[in-house]
Amino acid sequence: QHGMTVAPVVANLGLLEALTLNPNPDEVEEVFTLPLAHLLREENQGYTHFRTASGYGYTLPVFLNGPHKVWGLTAIITELTLELLVPGRY
């Protein structure tokens, strides 16, 4: 929509404790993980409703985890991934 290309990658990285991540601090405030089982629980799923100045409204998914919220493009990609990984459960 805004001229960007996003290529989500799903991978098994092994033990997360063994990883050393170096996120760009200008783009990433904090790194956290969410188990698949957590994402599939209805109480951790929600939606955010937006309305533009022209009156057009749209709804996007949100995934909740304590103080963290997965929203925006990350939530959209997460929702599409869940639909592919566990059809009928999400």
Side-chain angles (χ1 to χ4, degrees), residues 35-37 39-41 45 63 78-90:
L36 182 60
L39 293 169
L40 292 173
R41 285 190 213 111
Q45 302 168 8
F63 295 91
T78 301
E79 181 176 65
L80 293 170
T81 302
L82 290 174
E83 289 172 356
L84 290 171
L85 289 177
V86 286
R89 286 204 52 210
Y90 177 78

Side-chain angles (χ1 to χ4, degrees), residues 42-65:
E42 283 190 38
E43 63 267 20
N44 299 325
Q45 302 168 8
Y47 289 91
T48 301
H49 305 286
F50 295 91
R51 188 169 313 279
T52 65
S54 65
Y56 172 76
Y58 58 96
T59 302
L60 295 177
V62 176
F63 295 91
L64 309 171
N65 181 46

Side-chain angles (χ1 to χ4, degrees), residues 4-10 73 77:
M4 67 178 160
T5 301
V6 177
V9 176
V10 177
L73 183 57
I77 292 168

